[in-house]
Amino acid sequence: MYRLISSKYFDRGILMLIVISSIKLVWDTYYINNDENTDLSYLLDIIFTAIFLVECIIKIIAIGFFYEQGTYLRDNWNILDFIIVVISIIEISVANVDLSVIKIFRLLRTLRPLRFISHNESMRLVVMSLMQSLVSIFNV
């Protein structure tokens, strides 16, 4: 399992799915205008969430969940991924409920593109450098 999650092909496949999922979010925001598209969008949400849940489970099996150093929840980027997957599961499970509080979960779907940063080493460095420079600016 560890070889699988450390494979560049696994990582590239997940990155591709994150990009497609992000494009789907744009589609949801600007182009959904009938029930047929809403049903397709809901189905795609279920598919993407299931795929990302399987990725999460595979990583947890390969490196452990929390207890030891180097496990899944000891990495901040994996914590972000885990939170996004959990939010997506909650959002799908309450999608048919029409409460204003539930709309917050739908709003949190916008966190999905952040998964791209967590899977792309170059983007991680850019974001971390940006955050460090912001801290320095606020200290002046």
Side-chain angles (χ1 to χ4, degrees), residues 134-140:
L134 287 174
V135 169
S136 299
I137 288 172
F138 287 121
N139 287 334
V140 172

Short mmCIF file of all heavy atoms in Angstrom, two decimals, residues 134-140:
data_model
loop_
_atom_site.label_atom_id
_atom_site.label_comp_id
_atom_site.label_asym_id
_atom_site.label_seq_id
_atom_site.Cartn_x
_atom_site.Cartn_y
_atom_site.Cartn_z
N LEU A 134 3.43 36.94 4.88
CA LEU A 134 2.33 37.68 5.49
C LEU A 134 2.55 37.87 6.99
O LEU A 134 2.27 38.94 7.52
CB LEU A 134 1.00 36.97 5.24
CG LEU A 134 0.45 37.05 3.83
CD1 LEU A 134 -0.79 36.18 3.69
CD2 LEU A 134 0.15 38.48 3.45
N VAL A 135 3.06 36.84 7.64
CA VAL A 135 3.37 36.95 9.07
C VAL A 135 4.42 38.05 9.27
O VAL A 135 4.30 38.88 10.18
CB VAL A 135 3.84 35.61 9.63
CG1 VAL A 135 4.41 35.76 11.03
CG2 VAL A 135 2.69 34.59 9.64
N SER A 136 5.43 38.07 8.42
CA SER A 136 6.48 39.09 8.54
C SER A 136 5.91 40.48 8.30
O SER A 136 6.30 41.43 8.98
CB SER A 136 7.60 38.82 7.53
OG SER A 136 8.19 37.56 7.79
N ILE A 137 5.01 40.61 7.35
CA ILE A 137 4.42 41.93 7.05
C ILE A 137 3.62 42.42 8.26
O ILE A 137 3.69 43.60 8.62
CB ILE A 137 3.53 41.83 5.79
CG1 ILE A 137 4.42 41.67 4.56
CG2 ILE A 137 2.64 43.06 5.66
CD1 ILE A 137 3.65 41.37 3.29
N PHE A 138 2.86 41.52 8.89
CA PHE A 138 2.04 41.92 10.03
C PHE A 138 2.91 42.25 11.25
O PHE A 138 2.45 42.97 12.15
CB PHE A 138 1.02 40.85 10.38
CG PHE A 138 -0.11 40.79 9.39
CD1 PHE A 138 -0.37 39.63 8.70
CD2 PHE A 138 -0.91 41.90 9.14
CE1 PHE A 138 -1.42 39.58 7.79
CE2 PHE A 138 -1.94 41.86 8.25
CZ PHE A 138 -2.21 40.69 7.56
N ASN A 139 4.12 41.74 11.31
CA ASN A 139 5.02 42.04 12.43
C ASN A 139 5.69 43.39 12.31
O ASN A 139 6.31 43.86 13.26
CB ASN A 139 6.07 40.94 12.58
CG ASN A 139 5.48 39.67 13.14
OD1 ASN A 139 4.47 39.70 13.84
ND2 ASN A 139 6.10 38.56 12.83
N VAL A 140 5.60 44.01 11.14
CA VAL A 140 6.26 45.31 10.92
C VAL A 140 5.45 46.43 11.50
O VAL A 140 4.32 46.49 11.64
CB VAL A 140 6.49 45.55 9.42
CG1 VAL A 140 6.99 46.94 9.15
CG2 VAL A 140 7.47 44.52 8.90
#
